[in-house]
CSV table of all heavy atoms in Angstrom, one decimal:
chain,number,residue,atom,x,y,z
W,46,MET,N,-10.2,6.8,19.5
W,46,MET,CA,-8.9,7.0,18.7
W,46,MET,C,-8.6,5.6,18.0
W,46,MET,O,-8.6,4.5,18.6
W,46,MET,CB,-7.8,7.4,19.6
W,46,MET,CG,-7.9,8.7,20.2
W,46,MET,SD,-7.6,10.0,18.9
W,46,MET,CE,-5.8,9.8,18.7
W,47,THR,N,-8.2,5.8,16.8
W,47,THR,CA,-7.8,4.6,16.0
W,47,THR,C,-6.3,4.7,15.7
W,47,THR,O,-5.8,5.7,15.4
W,47,THR,CB,-8.5,4.5,14.7
W,47,THR,OG1,-9.9,4.5,14.8
W,47,THR,CG2,-8.1,3.3,13.9
W,48,ALA,N,-5.6,3.6,16.0
W,48,ALA,CA,-4.2,3.6,15.8
W,48,ALA,C,-3.9,3.7,14.3
W,48,ALA,O,-4.4,2.8,13.5
W,48,ALA,CB,-3.6,2.4,16.4
W,49,LEU,N,-3.1,4.7,14.0
W,49,LEU,CA,-2.8,4.8,12.5
W,49,LEU,C,-1.4,4.1,12.3
W,49,LEU,O,-0.6,4.1,13.1
W,49,LEU,CB,-2.7,6.3,12.2
W,49,LEU,CG,-3.9,7.1,12.3
W,49,LEU,CD1,-3.7,8.6,12.1
W,49,LEU,CD2,-5.0,6.6,11.4
W,50,PRO,N,-1.4,3.6,11.1
W,50,PRO,CA,-0.1,2.9,10.7
W,50,PRO,C,1.1,3.9,10.5
W,50,PRO,O,0.9,5.1,10.3
W,50,PRO,CB,-0.4,2.2,9.4
W,50,PRO,CG,-1.5,3.1,8.8
W,50,PRO,CD,-2.3,3.5,9.9
W,51,ASN,N,2.3,3.4,10.7
W,51,ASN,CA,3.4,4.3,10.5
W,51,ASN,C,3.6,4.6,9.0
W,51,ASN,O,3.0,3.9,8.2
W,51,ASN,CB,4.8,3.6,11.0
W,51,ASN,CG,4.7,3.4,12.5
W,51,ASN,OD1,3.8,3.9,13.2
W,51,ASN,ND2,5.7,2.7,13.0
W,52,CYS,N,4.3,5.7,8.8
W,52,CYS,CA,4.6,6.0,7.4
W,52,CYS,C,5.4,4.9,6.7
W,52,CYS,O,6.4,4.5,7.2
W,52,CYS,CB,5.3,7.3,7.3
W,52,CYS,SG,5.9,7.8,5.7
W,53,PRO,N,4.9,4.4,5.5
W,53,PRO,CA,5.6,3.4,4.8
W,53,PRO,C,7.0,3.8,4.3
W,53,PRO,O,7.8,3.0,3.9
W,53,PRO,CB,4.7,2.9,3.8
W,53,PRO,CG,3.8,4.1,3.5
W,53,PRO,CD,3.7,4.8,4.8
W,54,LYS,N,7.1,5.1,4.2
W,54,LYS,CA,8.4,5.6,3.6
W,54,LYS,C,9.4,5.9,4.7
W,54,LYS,O,10.6,5.5,4.4
W,54,LYS,CB,8.1,6.9,2.8
W,54,LYS,CG,7.6,6.7,1.4
W,54,LYS,CD,7.7,8.0,0.6
W,54,LYS,CE,7.4,7.6,-0.9
W,54,LYS,NZ,7.7,8.8,-1.8
W,55,CYS,N,9.1,6.6,5.7
W,55,CYS,CA,10.1,6.9,6.7
W,55,CYS,C,9.8,6.4,8.1
W,55,CYS,O,10.6,6.6,9.0
W,55,CYS,CB,10.2,8.4,6.8
W,55,CYS,SG,8.8,9.3,7.5
W,56,GLN,N,8.7,5.5,8.2
W,56,GLN,CA,8.3,4.9,9.4
W,56,GLN,C,8.0,5.8,10.5
W,56,GLN,O,8.0,5.5,11.7
W,56,GLN,CB,9.4,3.9,9.9
W,56,GLN,CG,9.8,2.9,8.9
W,56,GLN,CD,8.6,2.0,8.5
W,56,GLN,OE1,7.9,1.6,9.2
W,56,GLN,NE2,8.5,1.8,7.1
W,57,SER,N,7.6,7.1,10.2
W,57,SER,CA,7.3,8.0,11.2
W,57,SER,C,5.9,7.6,11.8
W,57,SER,O,5.0,7.0,11.2
W,57,SER,CB,7.0,9.4,10.5
W,57,SER,OG,6.4,10.2,11.4
W,58,THR,N,5.8,7.8,13.1
W,58,THR,CA,4.6,7.5,13.9
W,58,THR,C,3.7,8.8,14.0
W,58,THR,O,2.7,8.7,14.7
W,58,THR,CB,5.0,7.0,15.3
W,58,THR,OG1,5.7,8.0,16.0
W,58,THR,CG2,5.7,5.8,15.2
W,59,LEU,N,4.1,9.9,13.4
W,59,LEU,CA,3.3,11.1,13.5
W,59,LEU,C,2.2,11.2,12.3
W,59,LEU,O,1.8,12.3,12.1
W,59,LEU,CB,4.2,12.3,13.4
W,59,LEU,CG,5.4,12.3,14.5
W,59,LEU,CD1,6.3,13.5,14.3
W,59,LEU,CD2,4.7,12.4,15.9
W,60,THR,N,1.9,10.2,11.7
W,60,THR,CA,0.9,10.2,10.7
W,60,THR,C,-0.5,10.6,11.1
W,60,THR,O,-0.8,10.4,12.3
W,60,THR,CB,0.7,8.8,10.0
W,60,THR,OG1,0.5,7.9,11.0
W,60,THR,CG2,2.1,8.5,9.3
W,61,TYR,N,-1.2,11.3,10.3
W,61,TYR,CA,-2.6,11.7,10.6
W,61,TYR,C,-3.5,11.4,9.4
W,61,TYR,O,-3.0,11.3,8.3
W,61,TYR,CB,-2.7,13.1,11.0
W,61,TYR,CG,-2.2,14.2,10.0
W,61,TYR,CD1,-3.1,14.7,9.2
W,61,TYR,CD2,-0.9,14.5,9.9
W,61,TYR,CE1,-2.8,15.6,8.3
W,61,TYR,CE2,-0.5,15.4,9.0
W,61,TYR,CZ,-1.4,16.1,8.2
W,61,TYR,OH,-1.1,17.0,7.2
W,62,GLU,N,-4.7,11.4,9.7
W,62,GLU,CA,-5.7,11.1,8.6
W,62,GLU,C,-6.5,12.2,8.2
W,62,GLU,O,-6.9,13.1,9.0
W,62,GLU,CB,-6.7,9.9,9.1
W,62,GLU,CG,-7.6,9.4,8.0
W,62,GLU,CD,-8.4,8.2,8.5
W,62,GLU,OE1,-8.3,7.9,9.7
W,62,GLU,OE2,-9.0,7.6,7.6
W,63,ASP,N,-6.7,12.4,6.9
W,63,ASP,CA,-7.4,13.5,6.4
W,63,ASP,C,-8.3,13.1,5.2
W,63,ASP,O,-7.7,12.8,4.1
W,63,ASP,CB,-6.5,14.7,6.0
W,63,ASP,CG,-7.3,16.0,5.5
W,63,ASP,OD1,-8.4,16.1,5.9
W,63,ASP,OD2,-6.6,16.7,4.8
W,64,ARG,N,-9.6,13.1,5.3
W,64,ARG,CA,-10.4,12.7,4.2
W,64,ARG,C,-10.1,11.4,3.6
W,64,ARG,O,-10.0,11.2,2.4
W,64,ARG,CB,-10.4,13.8,3.1
W,64,ARG,CG,-10.9,15.2,3.7
W,64,ARG,CD,-11.0,16.1,2.6
W,64,ARG,NE,-11.3,17.4,3.1
W,64,ARG,CZ,-11.5,18.6,2.3
W,64,ARG,NH1,-11.3,18.5,1.1
W,64,ARG,NH2,-11.7,19.7,3.0
W,65,GLY,N,-9.8,10.4,4.4
W,65,GLY,CA,-9.5,9.0,4.0
W,65,GLY,C,-8.1,8.8,3.5
W,65,GLY,O,-7.7,7.7,3.2
W,66,LEU,N,-7.3,9.8,3.5
W,66,LEU,CA,-5.9,9.7,3.2
W,66,LEU,C,-5.0,9.8,4.4
W,66,LEU,O,-5.4,10.5,5.4
W,66,LEU,CB,-5.3,10.8,2.2
W,66,LEU,CG,-5.8,10.6,0.8
W,66,LEU,CD1,-5.3,11.8,0.0
W,66,LEU,CD2,-5.4,9.4,0.2
W,67,LEU,N,-4.0,9.0,4.6
W,67,LEU,CA,-3.0,9.1,5.7
W,67,LEU,C,-1.9,10.0,5.2
W,67,LEU,O,-1.4,9.8,4.0
W,67,LEU,CB,-2.6,7.7,6.0
W,67,LEU,CG,-3.6,6.8,6.6
W,67,LEU,CD1,-3.1,5.4,6.8
W,67,LEU,CD2,-4.0,7.3,8.0
W,68,ILE,N,-1.5,10.9,6.0
W,68,ILE,CA,-0.5,11.9,5.6
W,68,ILE,C,0.7,11.8,6.6
W,68,ILE,O,0.4,11.8,7.8
W,68,ILE,CB,-1.1,13.3,5.6
W,68,ILE,CG1,-2.3,13.3,4.5
W,68,ILE,CG2,0.0,14.3,5.2
W,68,ILE,CD1,-3.1,14.5,4.5
W,69,CYS,N,1.9,11.9,6.2
W,69,CYS,CA,3.0,11.9,7.0
W,69,CYS,C,3.6,13.3,7.0
W,69,CYS,O,4.0,13.8,5.9
W,69,CYS,CB,4.1,10.9,6.5
W,69,CYS,SG,5.6,11.1,7.4
W,70,PRO,N,3.6,14.0,8.1
W,70,PRO,CA,4.1,15.3,8.2
W,70,PRO,C,5.6,15.4,8.1
W,70,PRO,O,6.2,16.5,7.8
W,70,PRO,CB,3.6,15.9,9.6
W,70,PRO,CG,3.5,14.7,10.4
W,70,PRO,CD,3.1,13.5,9.4
W,71,GLU,N,6.3,14.3,8.3
W,71,GLU,CA,7.8,14.3,8.3
W,71,GLU,C,8.3,14.3,6.8
W,71,GLU,O,9.3,15.0,6.5
W,71,GLU,CB,8.3,13.2,9.1
W,71,GLU,CG,8.0,13.4,10.6
W,71,GLU,CD,8.9,12.6,11.5
W,71,GLU,OE1,10.0,12.4,11.0
W,71,GLU,OE2,8.6,12.4,12.6
W,72,CYS,N,7.8,13.4,6.0
W,72,CYS,CA,8.3,13.4,4.6
W,72,CYS,C,7.3,13.8,3.6
W,72,CYS,O,7.6,13.9,2.4
W,72,CYS,CB,8.8,11.9,4.3
W,72,CYS,SG,7.5,10.7,4.1
W,73,GLY,N,6.1,14.1,4.0
W,73,GLY,CA,5.1,14.6,3.1
W,73,GLY,C,4.3,13.5,2.3
W,73,GLY,O,3.6,13.8,1.4
W,74,HIS,N,4.6,12.2,2.6
W,74,HIS,CA,4.0,11.1,1.9
W,74,HIS,C,2.6,11.0,2.2
W,74,HIS,O,2.1,11.2,3.3
W,74,HIS,CB,4.7,9.8,2.3
W,74,HIS,CG,4.2,8.7,1.5
W,74,HIS,ND1,4.1,8.6,0.1
W,74,HIS,CD2,3.8,7.4,1.9
W,74,HIS,CE1,3.7,7.5,-0.3
W,74,HIS,NE2,3.5,6.7,0.8
W,75,GLU,N,1.7,10.8,1.2
W,75,GLU,CA,0.3,10.6,1.4
W,75,GLU,C,-0.1,9.2,0.8
W,75,GLU,O,0.3,8.9,-0.3
W,75,GLU,CB,-0.5,11.7,0.7
W,75,GLU,CG,-0.2,13.1,1.4
W,75,GLU,CD,-1.0,14.2,0.6
W,75,GLU,OE1,-1.9,13.8,-0.2
W,75,GLU,OE2,-0.8,15.3,0.9
W,76,TRP,N,-1.0,8.5,1.4
W,76,TRP,CA,-1.4,7.2,0.9
W,76,TRP,C,-2.8,6.9,1.4
W,76,TRP,O,-3.2,7.5,2.4
W,76,TRP,CB,-0.4,6.2,1.2
W,76,TRP,CG,-0.3,5.7,2.6
W,76,TRP,CD1,-0.9,4.6,3.2
W,76,TRP,CD2,0.3,6.4,3.7
W,76,TRP,NE1,-0.6,4.5,4.5
W,76,TRP,CE2,0.1,5.6,4.9
W,76,TRP,CE3,1.0,7.5,3.8
W,76,TRP,CZ2,0.7,6.0,6.1
W,76,TRP,CZ3,1.6,7.9,5.1
W,76,TRP,CH2,1.4,7.1,6.2
W,77,SER,N,-3.4,6.0,0.7
W,77,SER,CA,-4.7,5.6,1.1
W,77,SER,C,-4.8,4.8,2.4
W,77,SER,O,-4.0,3.8,2.5
W,77,SER,CB,-5.4,4.8,-0.1
W,77,SER,OG,-6.6,4.3,0.3
W,78,ALA,N,-5.7,5.0,3.2
W,78,ALA,CA,-5.8,4.3,4.5
W,78,ALA,C,-6.1,2.8,4.3
W,78,ALA,O,-5.8,2.0,5.1
W,78,ALA,CB,-6.8,5.0,5.4
W,79,ALA,N,-6.8,2.6,3.2
W,79,ALA,CA,-7.3,1.2,3.0
W,79,ALA,C,-6.2,0.3,2.5
W,79,ALA,O,-6.4,-1.0,2.7
W,79,ALA,CB,-8.4,1.2,1.8
W,80,GLN,N,-5.1,0.8,2.0
W,80,GLN,CA,-4.1,-0.1,1.4
W,80,GLN,C,-3.3,-0.9,2.5
W,80,GLN,O,-3.0,-2.1,2.3
W,80,GLN,CB,-3.1,0.7,0.6
W,80,GLN,CG,-3.6,1.2,-0.7
W,80,GLN,CD,-2.7,2.1,-1.5
W,80,GLN,OE1,-1.6,2.4,-1.0
W,80,GLN,NE2,-3.1,2.5,-2.7
W,81,GLY,N,-3.0,-0.3,3.6
W,81,GLY,CA,-2.1,-0.9,4.6
W,81,GLY,C,-2.8,-2.1,5.2
W,81,GLY,O,-2.1,-3.1,5.6
W,82,ALA,N,-4.1,-2.1,5.3
W,82,ALA,CA,-4.7,-3.2,6.0
W,82,ALA,C,-5.0,-4.4,5.1
W,82,ALA,O,-5.4,-5.5,5.6
W,82,ALA,CB,-6.1,-2.8,6.6
W,83,ALA,N,-4.6,-4.3,3.8
W,83,ALA,CA,-5.0,-5.4,2.9
W,83,ALA,C,-3.9,-6.5,2.9
W,83,ALA,O,-4.1,-7.5,2.3
W,83,ALA,CB,-5.1,-4.8,1.5
W,84,GLU,N,-2.8,-6.2,3.5
W,84,GLU,CA,-1.7,-7.2,3.4
W,84,GLU,C,-1.9,-8.4,4.3
W,84,GLU,O,-2.3,-8.2,5.5
W,84,GLU,CB,-0.4,-6.5,3.8
W,84,GLU,CG,0.1,-5.6,2.7
W,84,GLU,CD,1.5,-5.1,3.0
W,84,GLU,OE1,2.3,-5.9,3.5
W,84,GLU,OE2,1.8,-3.9,2.9
W,85,GLU,N,-1.8,-9.5,3.8
W,85,GLU,CA,-1.9,-10.8,4.6
W,85,GLU,C,-0.6,-11.5,4.6
W,85,GLU,O,-0.3,-12.1,3.6
W,85,GLU,CB,-3.1,-11.7,4.1
W,85,GLU,CG,-4.4,-11.0,4.2
W,85,GLU,CD,-5.5,-11.9,3.6
W,85,GLU,OE1,-5.2,-13.1,3.6
W,85,GLU,OE2,-6.5,-11.3,3.3
W,86,PRO,N,0.2,-11.5,5.7
W,86,PRO,CA,1.5,-12.1,5.7
W,86,PRO,C,1.4,-13.6,5.4
W,86,PRO,O,2.4,-14.2,4.8
W,86,PRO,CB,2.0,-11.9,7.1
W,86,PRO,CG,1.2,-10.7,7.6
W,86,PRO,CD,-0.2,-10.8,6.9
W,87,ALA,N,0.3,-14.3,5.7
W,87,ALA,CA,0.3,-15.7,5.5
W,87,ALA,C,0.1,-16.1,4.0
W,87,ALA,O,0.5,-17.1,3.5
W,87,ALA,CB,-0.9,-16.3,6.3
W,88,ALA,N,-0.5,-15.1,3.2
W,88,ALA,CA,-0.8,-15.4,1.8
W,88,ALA,C,0.6,-15.4,1.0
W,88,ALA,O,1.3,-14.5,1.2
W,88,ALA,CB,-1.7,-14.3,1.3
W,89,GLY,N,0.8,-16.4,0.2
W,89,GLY,CA,1.9,-16.4,-0.6
W,89,GLY,C,3.2,-16.7,0.1
W,89,GLY,O,4.2,-16.6,-0.3
W,90,PHE,N,3.1,-17.3,1.3
W,90,PHE,CA,4.1,-17.7,2.0
W,90,PHE,C,4.9,-18.9,1.4
W,90,PHE,O,4.3,-19.8,1.1
W,90,PHE,CB,3.7,-18.1,3.5
W,90,PHE,CG,4.9,-18.4,4.4
W,90,PHE,CD1,5.8,-17.6,4.8
W,90,PHE,CD2,5.0,-19.8,4.8
W,90,PHE,CE1,6.8,-17.9,5.6
W,90,PHE,CE2,6.1,-20.1,5.6
W,90,PHE,CZ,7.0,-19.2,6.0
W,91,VAL,N,6.2,-18.7,1.2
W,91,VAL,CA,6.9,-19.7,0.5
W,91,VAL,C,8.1,-20.2,1.3
W,91,VAL,O,8.8,-19.4,1.9
W,91,VAL,CB,7.4,-19.2,-0.8
W,91,VAL,CG1,8.4,-20.2,-1.6
W,91,VAL,CG2,6.4,-18.7,-1.7
W,92,VAL,N,8.2,-21.5,1.4
W,92,VAL,CA,9.3,-22.1,2.2
W,92,VAL,C,10.3,-22.8,1.2
W,92,VAL,O,9.9,-23.5,0.3
W,92,VAL,CB,8.8,-23.2,3.2
W,92,VAL,CG1,10.0,-23.9,3.9
W,92,VAL,CG2,7.8,-22.6,4.2
W,93,ARG,N,11.6,-22.4,1.4
W,93,ARG,CA,12.6,-23.0,0.5
W,93,ARG,C,13.6,-23.8,1.3
W,93,ARG,O,13.8,-23.5,2.5
W,93,ARG,CB,13.4,-21.9,-0.2
W,93,ARG,CG,12.6,-21.1,-1.2
W,93,ARG,CD,13.3,-19.9,-1.7
W,93,ARG,NE,12.5,-19.0,-2.5
W,93,ARG,CZ,12.3,-19.1,-3.8
W,93,ARG,NH1,12.9,-20.0,-4.5
W,93,ARG,NH2,11.6,-18.2,-4.4
W,94,ASP,N,14.1,-24.9,0.8
W,94,ASP,CA,15.0,-25.7,1.4
W,94,ASP,C,16.4,-25.0,1.3
W,94,ASP,O,16.6,-24.0,0.7
W,94,ASP,CB,15.0,-27.1,1.0
W,94,ASP,CG,15.5,-27.4,-0.4
W,94,ASP,OD1,16.0,-26.4,-1.0
W,94,ASP,OD2,15.2,-28.4,-0.9
W,95,ALA,N,17.5,-25.7,1.8
W,95,ALA,CA,18.9,-25.1,1.7
W,95,ALA,C,19.3,-25.0,0.3
W,95,ALA,O,20.2,-24.1,0.1
W,95,ALA,CB,19.7,-26.1,2.5
W,96,ASN,N,18.8,-25.6,-0.6
W,96,ASN,CA,19.2,-25.5,-2.0
W,96,ASN,C,18.4,-24.4,-2.8
W,96,ASN,O,18.6,-24.2,-4.0
W,96,ASN,CB,19.1,-26.9,-2.8
W,96,ASN,CG,20.0,-27.9,-2.2
W,96,ASN,OD1,21.1,-27.6,-1.8
W,96,ASN,ND2,19.5,-29.1,-2.0
W,97,GLY,N,17.5,-23.8,-2.1
W,97,GLY,CA,16.6,-22.8,-2.8
W,97,GLY,C,15.4,-23.4,-3.5
W,97,GLY,O,14.7,-22.6,-4.2
W,98,THR,N,15.2,-24.7,-3.3
W,98,THR,CA,14.0,-25.3,-4.0
W,98,THR,C,12.8,-25.0,-3.1
W,98,THR,O,12.8,-25.1,-1.9
W,98,THR,CB,14.2,-26.8,-4.0
W,98,THR,OG1,15.4,-27.1,-4.7
W,98,THR,CG2,13.0,-27.4,-4.7
W,99,ILE,N,11.8,-24.6,-3.8
W,99,ILE,CA,10.5,-24.3,-3.1
W,99,ILE,C,9.8,-25.5,-2.6
W,99,ILE,O,9.6,-26.4,-3.4
W,99,ILE,CB,9.6,-23.5,-4.0
W,99,ILE,CG1,10.2,-22.2,-4.4
W,99,ILE,CG2,8.2,-23.2,-3.3
W,99,ILE,CD1,9.3,-21.3,-5.4
W,100,LEU,N,9.6,-25.5,-1.3
W,100,LEU,CA,8.9,-26.7,-0.7
W,100,LEU,C,7.4,-26.4,-0.8
W,100,LEU,O,6.9,-25.4,-0.2
W,100,LEU,CB,9.3,-26.9,0.8
W,100,LEU,CG,10.8,-27.1,0.9
W,100,LEU,CD1,11.1,-27.2,2.4
W,100,LEU,CD2,11.3,-28.3,0.2
W,101,GLN,N,6.7,-27.3,-1.4
W,101,GLN,CA,5.2,-27.1,-1.6
W,101,GLN,C,4.5,-28.0,-0.6
W,101,GLN,O,4.7,-29.2,-0.7
W,101,GLN,CB,4.8,-27.4,-3.0
W,101,GLN,CG,5.4,-26.4,-3.9
W,101,GLN,CD,4.9,-26.6,-5.4
W,101,GLN,OE1,4.7,-27.7,-5.8
W,101,GLN,NE2,4.7,-25.5,-6.1
W,102,ASP,N,3.8,-27.4,0.3
W,102,ASP,CA,3.2,-28.2,1.4
W,102,ASP,C,1.7,-28.3,1.1
W,102,ASP,O,1.1,-27.4,0.5
W,102,ASP,CB,3.4,-27.5,2.7
W,102,ASP,CG,3.2,-28.4,3.9
W,102,ASP,OD1,3.0,-29.7,3.7
W,102,ASP,OD2,3.2,-28.0,5.1
W,103,GLY,N,1.1,-29.4,1.6
W,103,GLY,CA,-0.4,-29.5,1.5
W,103,GLY,C,-0.8,-30.0,0.2
W,103,GLY,O,-2.0,-30.1,-0.1
W,104,ILE,N,0.1,-30.5,-0.7
W,104,ILE,CA,-0.3,-31.0,-2.0
W,104,ILE,C,-0.3,-32.5,-1.9
W,104,ILE,O,0.6,-33.2,-1.5
W,104,ILE,CB,0.6,-30.6,-3.1
W,104,ILE,CG1,0.6,-29.1,-3.2
W,104,ILE,CG2,0.3,-31.4,-4.4
W,104,ILE,CD1,1.6,-28.6,-4.4
W,105,PRO,N,-1.5,-33.2,-2.2
W,105,PRO,CA,-1.6,-34.6,-2.0
W,105,PRO,C,-0.6,-35.4,-2.8
W,105,PRO,O,-0.4,-35.0,-4.0
W,105,PRO,CB,-3.1,-35.0,-2.6
W,105,PRO,CG,-3.8,-33.6,-2.5
W,105,PRO,CD,-2.7,-32.5,-2.6
C,173,ZN,ZN1,7.0,9.7,6.1
């Protein structure tokens, strides 16, 4: 058994997979199974100081 992601629309845990698509029976949303795993939280991470200025780290 592979853990399926929750529905991105209604967060339902009742999602099931059918021919490469993930389907939510609660709201009827269908999406590609490959999309959810592509997100990398670390990528594009931006730190701002109290003034809203973007702090750029790692630049010489
Ligand atoms: Zn749903």
Side-chain angles (χ1 to χ4, degrees):
M46 289 289 286
T47 302
L49 296 174
N51 292 357
C52 173
K54 278 197 170 185
C55 71
Q56 303 303 315
S57 169
T58 58
L59 301 178
T60 53
Y61 61 93
E62 188 171 9
D63 185 24
R64 300 183 186 183
L66 285 178
L67 292 170
I68 300 171
C69 173
E71 294 206 19
C72 72
H74 184 53
E75 298 180 9
W76 70 103
S77 170
Q80 289 178 354
E84 290 188 41
E85 296 179 24
F90 182 69
V91 175
V92 178
R93 295 174 188 268
D94 68 12
N96 297 320
T98 305
I99 296 175
L100 301 177
Q101 296 183 323
D102 200 7
I104 297 178

